Amino acid sequence: MTLGQKVKYIKDYCANNDIFYLKANIEFPKESIGEALQILDEGYFVKHRGGESEGWQSCALWGWGKNKPEYYYTMNPSGYGYTEEEVVWGWTEIADIAPRTKEFLQDHYDMETMRRCRFMLLEPGGWIKAHDDGKERSIHSAVNVAITQPENCYLRRCDTKEEVPFKPGYMFFYDNRVMHEAKNNSSENRLHFIIHGFRSPKAKQILVDSFEKQYETIEL
């Protein structure tokens, strides 16, 4: 099979077998913890998706890197204030604060094909209400990384309550088209990183390698 055929097989296999998550075969750099804390300390996080959550904030590392419009931080019903077709993709103002995270993305992804890559904060007691991010099942619609993962925090699907088994540094492909929700029941901040955009060969190969490691008996 070609790389594209392998990705389609994995997407179909996960959808047909109702697979919610797939652990990536790479791990996030430990240095990202310090970078995320500095970004938080310097006040770069902004409220994410008003009305659908409490205590949920985000800060893009790769996003609208230049020529931001005046309404860049304006929240609309979709939570972004702009459409992705308008975005001039690039490194944001926090790139100098997060050099190791930036290096990691450059090493593992073809950035010119990527979409939003951002630090996410869920404050103590914070929650994200049940929602899906599309209707067509896709195991590679997003990668969610645990930078910190306090006890009593979850990201889970709503029907079976199956949780993604996060540990600091662990990266998971997860199907955000399944209804899911999150809650931070701890007294600490939960810091994650979410990666979007999987059209490049490098990004597709990570998915294939991860699937083959977890499902060794399936030959692609």
Side-chain angles (χ1 to χ4, degrees):
M1 282 192 275
T2 66
L3 182 59
Q5 289 170 332
K6 289 179 180 180
V7 169
K8 184 180 185 308
Y9 177 90
I10 293 168
K11 180 180 176 181
D12 292 345
Y13 180 91
C14 291
N16 293 336
N17 290 277
D18 197 22
I19 293 170
F20 180 45
Y21 63 81
L22 175 68
K23 187 177 183 298
N25 69 324
I26 55 176
E27 291 192 12
F28 219 56
K30 292 182 174 66
E31 296 90 342
S32 294
I33 296 174
E35 294 176 351
L37 291 173
Q38 184 178 348
I39 291 164
L40 176 61
D41 186 58
E42 295 193 20
Y44 281 100
F45 280 92
V46 296
K47 187 174 182 180
H48 190 70
R49 290 194 180 185
E52 297 184 7
S53 63
E54 183 66 41
W56 195 23
Q57 299 186 46
S58 66
C59 181
L61 174 58
W62 175 264
W64 206 321
K66 58 183 179 179
N67 300 323
K68 293 186 183 71
E70 291 181 2
Y71 59 88
Y72 177 70
Y73 289 113
T74 301
M75 305 301 289
N76 68 12
S78 68
Y80 298 114
Y82 56 88
T83 64
E84 290 201 350
E85 288 73 24
E86 297 176 74
V87 177
V88 180
W89 297 99
W91 300 108
T92 69
E93 60 268 36
I94 68 166
D96 291 340
I97 306 174
R100 183 66 185 95
T101 307
K102 177 182 176 181
E103 180 184 44
F104 173 87
L105 292 173
Q106 289 174 315
D107 287 345
H108 293 284
Y109 298 97
D110 298 306
M111 295 310 298
E112 65 273 11
T113 70
M114 298 304 287
R115 292 299 180 259
R116 288 166 287 124
C117 300
R118 62 201 190 279
F119 291 93
M120 306 298 298
L121 165 67
L122 192 60
E123 297 174 340
W127 49 266
I128 304 166
K129 77 173 186 179
H131 69 285
D132 63 55
D133 295 280
K135 300 306 176 185
E136 182 184 348
R137 294 289 299 264
S138 177
I139 193 65
H140 63 104
S141 51
V143 168
N144 195 315
V145 183
I147 296 176
T148 65
Q149 185 65 23
E151 292 186 9
N152 300 316
C153 292
Y154 62 73
L155 168 63
R156 70 186 185 189
R157 58 187 298 167
C158 297
D159 50 1
T160 65
K161 308 304 182 187
E162 179 184 21
E163 298 182 17
V164 181
F166 287 115
K167 292 184 181 180
Y170 280 20
M171 300 175 58
F172 286 91
F173 294 91
Y174 82 106
D175 191 342
N176 64 12
R177 278 78 184 280
V178 175
M179 287 290 290
H180 58 283
E181 60 189 358
K183 182 79 185 289
N184 181 358
N185 291 308
S186 80
S187 59
E188 304 172 43
N189 287 320
R190 191 203 77 166
L191 290 160
H192 278 211
F193 194 86
I194 297 181
I195 302 170
H196 290 275
F198 305 101
R199 293 178 293 178
S200 75
K202 288 173 74 173
K204 291 176 181 178
Q205 193 62 55
I206 295 172
L207 174 67
V208 171
D209 292 345
S210 302
F211 182 84
E212 289 180 330
K213 183 174 182 179
Q214 189 161 326
Y215 296 94
E216 296 178 346
T217 58
I218 298 176
E219 231 180 277
L220 298 180

